[in-house]
mmCIF file of all heavy atoms in Angstrom:
data_model
loop_
_atom_site.group_PDB
_atom_site.id
_atom_site.type_symbol
_atom_site.label_atom_id
_atom_site.label_comp_id
_atom_site.label_asym_id
_atom_site.label_seq_id
_atom_site.Cartn_x
_atom_site.Cartn_y
_atom_site.Cartn_z
ATOM 1 N N ARG A 157 141.542 93.889 88.625
ATOM 2 C CA ARG A 157 142.643 92.923 88.760
ATOM 3 C C ARG A 157 142.476 92.113 90.039
ATOM 4 O O ARG A 157 142.929 90.981 90.113
ATOM 5 C CB ARG A 157 143.981 93.660 88.741
ATOM 6 C CG ARG A 157 144.242 94.355 87.404
ATOM 7 C CD ARG A 157 145.526 95.165 87.443
ATOM 8 N NE ARG A 157 146.702 94.304 87.505
ATOM 9 C CZ ARG A 157 147.933 94.756 87.702
ATOM 10 N NH1 ARG A 157 148.143 96.067 87.866
ATOM 11 N NH2 ARG A 157 148.951 93.922 87.738
ATOM 12 N N LEU A 158 141.867 92.720 91.043
ATOM 13 C CA LEU A 158 141.607 92.002 92.295
ATOM 14 C C LEU A 158 140.099 92.021 92.564
ATOM 15 O O LEU A 158 139.489 93.089 92.643
ATOM 16 C CB LEU A 158 142.342 92.674 93.465
ATOM 17 C CG LEU A 158 142.057 92.085 94.848
ATOM 18 C CD1 LEU A 158 142.545 90.640 94.955
ATOM 19 C CD2 LEU A 158 142.695 92.931 95.947
ATOM 20 N N ILE A 159 139.521 90.830 92.681
ATOM 21 C CA ILE A 159 138.086 90.725 92.944
ATOM 22 C C ILE A 159 137.890 90.154 94.346
ATOM 23 O O ILE A 159 138.389 89.061 94.654
ATOM 24 C CB ILE A 159 137.401 89.804 91.903
ATOM 25 C CG1 ILE A 159 137.664 90.333 90.487
ATOM 26 C CG2 ILE A 159 135.895 89.712 92.165
ATOM 27 C CD1 ILE A 159 137.316 89.332 89.390
ATOM 28 N N ILE A 160 137.192 90.927 95.181
ATOM 29 C CA ILE A 160 136.982 90.498 96.569
ATOM 30 C C ILE A 160 135.521 90.101 96.710
ATOM 31 O O ILE A 160 134.624 90.912 96.457
ATOM 32 C CB ILE A 160 137.305 91.650 97.543
ATOM 33 C CG1 ILE A 160 138.721 92.175 97.277
ATOM 34 C CG2 ILE A 160 137.147 91.219 98.984
ATOM 35 C CD1 ILE A 160 138.991 93.533 97.901
ATOM 36 N N LEU A 161 135.311 88.870 97.113
ATOM 37 C CA LEU A 161 133.933 88.362 97.201
ATOM 38 C C LEU A 161 133.659 87.859 98.609
ATOM 39 O O LEU A 161 134.380 87.000 99.108
ATOM 40 C CB LEU A 161 133.726 87.216 96.208
ATOM 41 C CG LEU A 161 134.030 87.538 94.743
ATOM 42 C CD1 LEU A 161 134.890 86.452 94.135
ATOM 43 C CD2 LEU A 161 132.767 87.697 93.949
ATOM 44 N N ASP A 162 132.615 88.410 99.216
ATOM 45 C CA ASP A 162 132.249 87.993 100.565
ATOM 46 C C ASP A 162 130.996 87.132 100.477
ATOM 47 O O ASP A 162 129.906 87.648 100.274
ATOM 48 C CB ASP A 162 132.009 89.232 101.429
ATOM 49 C CG ASP A 162 131.778 88.867 102.882
ATOM 50 O OD1 ASP A 162 132.210 87.780 103.311
ATOM 51 O OD2 ASP A 162 131.154 89.668 103.595
ATOM 52 N N GLU A 163 131.156 85.846 100.632
ATOM 53 C CA GLU A 163 130.040 84.890 100.568
ATOM 54 C C GLU A 163 129.178 85.098 99.317
ATOM 55 O O GLU A 163 127.960 85.284 99.427
ATOM 56 C CB GLU A 163 129.141 85.037 101.809
ATOM 57 C CG GLU A 163 129.839 84.825 103.129
ATOM 58 C CD GLU A 163 130.074 83.353 103.440
ATOM 59 O OE1 GLU A 163 129.585 82.526 102.661
ATOM 60 O OE2 GLU A 163 130.768 83.054 104.414
ATOM 61 N N PRO A 164 129.764 85.057 98.140
ATOM 62 C CA PRO A 164 128.971 85.396 96.945
ATOM 63 C C PRO A 164 127.939 84.344 96.572
ATOM 64 O O PRO A 164 127.052 84.631 95.782
ATOM 65 C CB PRO A 164 130.038 85.500 95.850
ATOM 66 C CG PRO A 164 131.115 84.575 96.300
ATOM 67 C CD PRO A 164 131.132 84.657 97.793
ATOM 68 N N LEU A 165 128.053 83.136 97.128
ATOM 69 C CA LEU A 165 127.142 82.069 96.711
ATOM 70 C C LEU A 165 126.019 81.817 97.718
ATOM 71 O O LEU A 165 125.176 80.954 97.491
ATOM 72 C CB LEU A 165 127.929 80.769 96.491
ATOM 73 C CG LEU A 165 129.087 80.887 95.496
ATOM 74 C CD1 LEU A 165 129.873 79.589 95.438
ATOM 75 C CD2 LEU A 165 128.578 81.244 94.107
ATOM 76 N N THR A 166 126.011 82.603 98.798
ATOM 77 C CA THR A 166 124.991 82.392 99.824
ATOM 78 C C THR A 166 123.599 82.651 99.251
ATOM 79 O O THR A 166 123.338 83.689 98.664
ATOM 80 C CB THR A 166 125.235 83.344 101.017
ATOM 81 O OG1 THR A 166 126.539 83.119 101.497
ATOM 82 C CG2 THR A 166 124.231 83.104 102.134
ATOM 83 N N GLY A 167 122.729 81.685 99.411
ATOM 84 C CA GLY A 167 121.336 81.867 98.995
ATOM 85 C C GLY A 167 121.077 81.684 97.512
ATOM 86 O O GLY A 167 119.965 81.911 97.054
ATOM 87 N N LEU A 168 122.089 81.310 96.750
ATOM 88 C CA LEU A 168 121.872 81.125 95.312
ATOM 89 C C LEU A 168 121.405 79.702 95.026
ATOM 90 O O LEU A 168 121.835 78.751 95.682
ATOM 91 C CB LEU A 168 123.167 81.386 94.531
ATOM 92 C CG LEU A 168 123.761 82.787 94.593
ATOM 93 C CD1 LEU A 168 124.803 82.946 93.488
ATOM 94 C CD2 LEU A 168 122.699 83.851 94.433
ATOM 95 N N ASP A 169 120.552 79.557 94.008
ATOM 96 C CA ASP A 169 120.166 78.206 93.625
ATOM 97 C C ASP A 169 121.314 77.568 92.846
ATOM 98 O O ASP A 169 122.297 78.248 92.495
ATOM 99 C CB ASP A 169 118.855 78.199 92.828
ATOM 100 C CG ASP A 169 118.955 78.964 91.525
ATOM 101 O OD1 ASP A 169 120.048 78.964 90.903
ATOM 102 O OD2 ASP A 169 117.957 79.573 91.105
ATOM 103 N N ALA A 170 121.184 76.271 92.581
ATOM 104 C CA ALA A 170 122.300 75.539 91.977
ATOM 105 C C ALA A 170 122.694 76.135 90.620
ATOM 106 O O ALA A 170 123.886 76.292 90.311
ATOM 107 C CB ALA A 170 121.916 74.077 91.816
ATOM 108 N N GLY A 171 121.683 76.519 89.837
ATOM 109 C CA GLY A 171 121.972 77.063 88.507
ATOM 110 C C GLY A 171 122.714 78.379 88.579
ATOM 111 O O GLY A 171 123.720 78.585 87.888
ATOM 112 N N SER A 172 122.224 79.273 89.448
ATOM 113 C CA SER A 172 122.867 80.586 89.582
ATOM 114 C C SER A 172 124.276 80.429 90.131
ATOM 115 O O SER A 172 125.221 81.086 89.679
ATOM 116 C CB SER A 172 122.051 81.483 90.516
ATOM 117 O OG SER A 172 120.784 81.720 89.973
ATOM 118 N N ALA A 173 124.418 79.535 91.139
ATOM 119 C CA ALA A 173 125.735 79.325 91.735
ATOM 120 C C ALA A 173 126.716 78.818 90.677
ATOM 121 O O ALA A 173 127.875 79.252 90.622
ATOM 122 C CB ALA A 173 125.629 78.326 92.886
#
Side-chain angles (χ1 to χ4, degrees):
Chain A
R157 296 176 70 188
L158 175 64
I159 303 167
I160 306 164
L161 304 132
D162 186 23
E163 301 282 354
L165 304 175
T166 303
L168 297 195
D169 62 33
S172 297

